[in-house]
Amino acid sequence: MERTRAAVLGSPVAHSLSPVLHSAAYAALGLDWTYDRVECDERRLPGLVGSLGPEWAGLSVTMPGKRAALAVADSATDRARAVGAANTLVRVDSGWRADCTDIDGVTGALRANGFAPGPGDAVVLGAGGTACAALAAVVELGIPGAVVVVREPARAGDAVVCAERLGLALRVLRWSETDFDALAESASVLVNTAPAGATEGLASSLARAPHVLDVIYHPWPTPLAEARDGVLATGLDMLLHQAFGQVEQFTGREAPRREMRDALCSATGGVLPLPL
């Protein structure tokens, strides 16, 4: 009998830490499964997914294939459709089902680091795919509105469409015209999806937000992490919490969270504390 298989698809994918998380989970669950890295861009993804046999239980999908993953799926969750992308493909009776556990990554990372709802909108820096997942997380966290800050508002179209699908009130601000001190102080939470260099010089202002998730974790520490003395949720927290949902959808069993956390900490040299 062939072993059950799963993998992460992406390009480049050699750096992915997903095998660390999934391998630890399957071992803790007593499952003799394999989990590999597969180099695959968005152009190759449909053909590759279509060629996989019944031994394949699930696929994690990283950049640049998340939109292609949603398009190739036979069915999709409402939240994946709202975000317009999928980081998870699960083998089901009807074929492949797409989901976006990146949303769980954002909500889980913030809650594990003490997030409590408060007044004010969420602030999201950047408007790419991760920003759209953050907007869906804003809804799940019970925050009624969000502000997206971008270099050029015309490039925020995907975020605007995503917010409309979610029924989320959204404002788009131009980066160069934003008072970051006032914006951060009035926010309930701030999520940075922009490159670390973009926040250099602004970190002390952004750090005024009561809760912060900086999805960038390499190189570490980021300017925002330094400005908050490390008191923030990180991209590694997000990576960990999105993987819990993937493992549960692939296996149909509860994710062994502690074992997965410990494996990730070991793989990254214990640089960051990762609360559950």
Side-chain angles (χ1 to χ4, degrees):
M1 181 176 177
E2 192 161 5
R3 296 171 72 186
T4 300
R5 301 184 66 182
V8 56
L9 310 183
S11 184
V13 77
H15 67 285
S16 174
L17 291 167
S18 289
V20 172
L21 292 160
H22 282 260
S23 296
Y26 304 152
L29 293 171
L31 299 173
D32 185 25
W33 287 23
T34 65
Y35 188 97
D36 303 304
R37 298 179 181 90
V38 178
E39 186 75 19
C40 179
D41 61 19
E42 69 274 31
R43 180 183 57 83
R44 292 182 52 227
L45 187 143
L48 188 150
V49 172
S51 72
L52 300 180
E55 72 277 11
W56 286 85
L59 298 166
S60 309
V61 184
T62 187
M63 296 302 291
K66 294 184 181 183
R67 292 184 183 280
L70 179 62
V72 79
D74 300 285
S75 61
T77 60
D78 289 343
R79 64 183 189 170
R81 290 193 185 96
V83 171
N87 75 323
T88 304
L89 289 172
V90 185
R91 176 81 78 182
V92 295
D93 291 342
S94 59
W96 291 100
R97 184 186 69 227
D99 190 24
C100 183
T101 67
D102 284 335
I103 301 166
D104 303 326
V106 175
T107 58
L110 286 167
R111 286 171 173 153
N113 283 273
F115 173 80
D121 290 340
V123 172
V124 180
L125 307 183
T130 303
C132 289
L135 292 177
V138 165
V139 174
E140 292 198 8
L141 291 169
I143 303 169
V147 178
V148 166
V149 187
V150 289
R151 298 288 184 188
E152 177 49 61
R155 297 181 180 178
D158 288 344
V160 171
V161 170
C162 177
E164 290 174 350
R165 290 171 178 159
L166 294 165
L168 177 69
L170 181 71
R171 291 184 291 142
V172 179
L173 301 181
R174 188 185 299 274
W175 195 285
S176 61
E177 298 172 357
T178 297
D179 181 344
F180 285 101
D181 285 314
L183 187 64
E185 286 177 350
S186 65
S188 59
V189 63
L190 184 144
V191 180
N192 176 46
T193 72
T199 62
E200 199 139 19
L202 293 172
S204 60
S205 297
L206 301 174
R208 297 172 184 264
H211 302 284
V212 173
L213 166 60
D214 190 351
V215 306
I216 309 302
Y217 59 86
H218 183 77
W220 183 262
T222 64
L224 193 46
E226 289 183 319
R228 286 185 61 92
D229 294 325
V231 183
L232 78 171
T234 73
L236 282 180
D237 291 304
M238 183 178 168
L239 177 68
L240 177 63
H241 285 267
Q242 65 82 30
F244 294 153
Q246 288 187 338
V247 166
E248 290 175 355
Q249 291 189 51
F250 291 1
T251 68
R253 296 169 63 179
E254 184 175 352
R257 297 187 170 214
R258 189 170 300 279
E259 289 85 350
M260 293 172 70
R261 188 272 311 273
D262 291 349
L264 184 58
C265 285
S266 178
T268 56
V271 174
L272 299 176
L274 298 174
L276 293 174

